[in-house]
Amino acid sequence: AQSVTQLGSHVSVSEGALVLLRCNYSSSVPPYLFWYVQYPNQGLQLLLKYTSAATLVKGINGFEAEFKKSETSFHLTKPSAHMSDAAEYFCAVSAKNNNAGNMLTFGGGTRLMVKP
Amino acid sequence: DADVTQTPRNRITKTGKRIMLECSQTKGHDRMYWYRQDPGLGLRLIYYSFDVKDINKGEISDGYSVSRQAQAKFSLSLESAIPNQTALYFCATSDRRLAGVQETQYFGPGTRLLVL
């Protein structure tokens, strides 16, 4: 069984400030971890994913996330927020079970608001 | 043109009515998924299909049925809609040939359903 917890359903930052969106997971097997972004009235778009190649993963639009096994965390960060980053962000986990395919379990989502 | 399309984008229906949501993809992927999104709950898997002859229940399949008419088409039906099924519904696809490390799910723009 696997689960994802995103701390903070809403996060507000000022433009230019650090963005930190928290994600903790539980998984009985080594996981794959994902961050997806959903802009208003759009579907989900992959931001980045961890597949065990490197613990620090760089994604699109200047975002990155660090896998910390000891903390079972995969927090998403961006050094300087931009107005265009305002969206909802979802953390997801899947088990490394190729026979079952990439079955994703999502967190509840965090809505990021960026103030001018 | 969008690779994963969903129709309709918005739908209002009444309790007890049967409705169908449709998903089409031009990505050539064999795997397709239906999710629903509710505020604070993230996305939850309703059904998934790994090929035309393979249909599987997800986490919350009660009250729903699906049909995989072709590799590119995957429909979701609500046999007798109830207000509790008011949600945002997403279709997604992935490629079995990239199972595991490279497999990523690609999402459609969503269908917003309101059951009165």
Side-chain angles (χ1 to χ4, degrees), chain B residues 40-85:
Chain B
L41 298 179
L43 278 74
R44 292 180 291 167
L45 184 63
I46 306 172
Y47 271 95
Y48 61 101
S49 170
F50 282 173
D51 64 42
V52 174
K53 297 181 180 179
D54 179 72
I55 304 289
N56 303 280
K57 292 182 178 181
E59 179 186 355
I60 53 164
S61 59
D62 287 348
Y64 301 95
S65 62
V66 292
S67 173
R68 185 84 183 264
Q69 301 95 321
Q71 187 187 41
K73 296 183 182 297
F74 192 36
S75 299
L76 176 72
S77 293
L78 284 68
E79 298 300 326
S80 179
I82 58 176
N84 180 264
Q85 293 176 312

Side-chain angles (χ1 to χ4, degrees), chain A residues 6 46 49 109:
Chain A
Q6 291 183 238
L46 182 67
K49 63 182 178 183

